[in-house]
Amino acid sequence: MLAVIKGAGDLATGIAQRLRLANIKVAMTDIEKPSAIRRTAAFSEAIYNGTASVEGFTAVKADSAEHAERILAEGNVPVLIDPTGEEALKLNPDVVIDAIIAKRNTGTSISDARLVLGVGPGFTVGEDCHAAIETKRGHHLGRVYYEKGQSPIPNTGIPGMIAGYGAERVMHAPAGGTFHCLREIGDTVTAGEVVATVGGENVIAAIPGVLRGLLPEGYDTPKGMKCADVDPRCTKDHCFTVSDKARAIGGGALEAIL
């Protein structure tokens, strides 16, 4: 069985890891310059570095569907620069999973494969997918919706709570410009500490914790873009492994496939 996952950020990577553990082959797609901030737990880093490894699985940048087939044959996860997903569909996948997390459907069709799954808000069962997976933290995280007309909970724009912190965990670009890292993922930071700059303006941590997310160095960043994330649980290992949220969503994807 082959599943194509659109998107290769940390949540999509959690899905990929769960499927690979179940011996389902996985190919992924992303844009030319991915903006995932949880880069150390995201297969999208293969686009920048050629390869990326997360929890024992390796992703490799693929130049075409033919190249992706060779990478699959080696037991690895190909990642295509393929914003529309058209190149990946040449692999004739059994399953297509839209895990771009755009809060809307950016072009996935229910006819793309025998089974099409929508991850997060913006998908409706029976219209653009066969089943949809809840991404909102809380009681229903990872739940799979199967009934026609059902959709995941609409986006609230408010980050979920972790160790009593919500919006304070996430930093947004105070100005547009080039992103420069002053700290690294995995570093312990304090409230009020400058972790990066954008367009000459400081990006400041609002709470203490471990820095688990940063945009890539040199990223051309629009004002207001999410650019960094602090984990108040202060466990460095969390920065380099699949998150609890991604595991739950990955479990939902595996359930729907089975």
Side-chain angles (χ1 to χ4, degrees):
M1 180 181 290
L2 172 65
V4 161
I5 302 176
K6 298 172 72 173
D10 63 298
L11 297 185
T13 298
I15 297 171
Q17 189 254 7
R18 199 66 178 268
L19 299 190
R20 289 297 296 118
L21 285 171
N23 291 320
I24 296 172
K25 293 181 179 181
V26 174
M28 307 180 81
T29 71
D30 215 314
I31 58 177
E32 185 176 2
K33 293 184 177 181
S35 60
I37 63 170
R38 288 213 60 212
R39 295 181 287 111
T40 50
F43 283 150
S44 58
E45 281 296 278
I47 290 179
Y48 289 112
N49 302 322
T51 63
S53 295
V54 178
E55 294 201 24
F57 293 102
T58 298
V60 180
K61 182 180 178 181
D63 300 323
S64 64
E66 183 180 1
H67 186 200
E69 288 178 339
R70 296 199 298 271
I71 295 169
L72 286 166
E74 295 168 353
N76 294 321
V77 177
V79 183
L80 289 152
I81 298 176
D82 186 14
T84 65
E86 292 180 8
E87 185 68 15
L89 289 181
K90 295 178 182 178
L91 296 169
N92 297 315
D94 302 285
V95 183
V96 168
I97 304 172
D98 190 323
I100 295 172
I101 319 296
K103 313 299 191 299
R104 59 188 176 87
N105 185 345
T106 59
T108 294
S109 170
I110 197 170
S111 62
D112 285 342
R114 283 195 300 144
L115 176 64
V116 176
L117 306 179
V119 180
F123 296 97
T124 303
V125 178
E127 293 183 12
D128 48 17
C129 61
H130 298 100
I133 304 169
E134 185 58 67
T135 58
K136 181 176 174 57
R137 285 187 182 273
H139 185 73
H140 296 292
L141 177 63
R143 176 187 176 187
V144 185
Y145 300 100
Y146 296 105
E147 295 183 17
K148 186 174 181 179
Q150 287 186 311
S151 298
I153 298 169
N155 180 40
T156 63
I158 302 172
M161 300 294 288
I162 294 179
Y165 294 101
E168 308 98 323
R169 297 186 293 105
V170 181
M171 288 161 268
H172 296 84
T178 302
F179 188 82
H180 292 298
C181 304
L182 300 180
R183 302 300 303 272
E184 296 182 357
I185 293 175
D187 286 351
T188 299
V189 299
T190 59
E193 186 170 347
V194 178
V195 302
T197 63
V198 183
E201 298 287 334
N202 291 335
V203 177
I204 302 171
I207 63 171
V210 170
L211 193 62
R212 72 168 185 170
L214 276 175
L215 280 175
E217 172 64 28
Y219 196 88
D220 186 12
T221 311
K223 182 177 181 179
M225 182 178 187
K226 182 169 70 174
C227 62
D229 174 30
V230 172
D231 188 336
R233 294 170 293 191
C234 298
T235 303
K236 185 174 181 177
D237 179 64
H238 290 178
C239 302
F240 304 94
T241 54
V242 174
S243 70
D244 51 352
K245 180 176 181 177
R247 288 186 202 280
I249 294 168
L254 181 57
E255 173 198 317
I257 291 170
L258 295 178

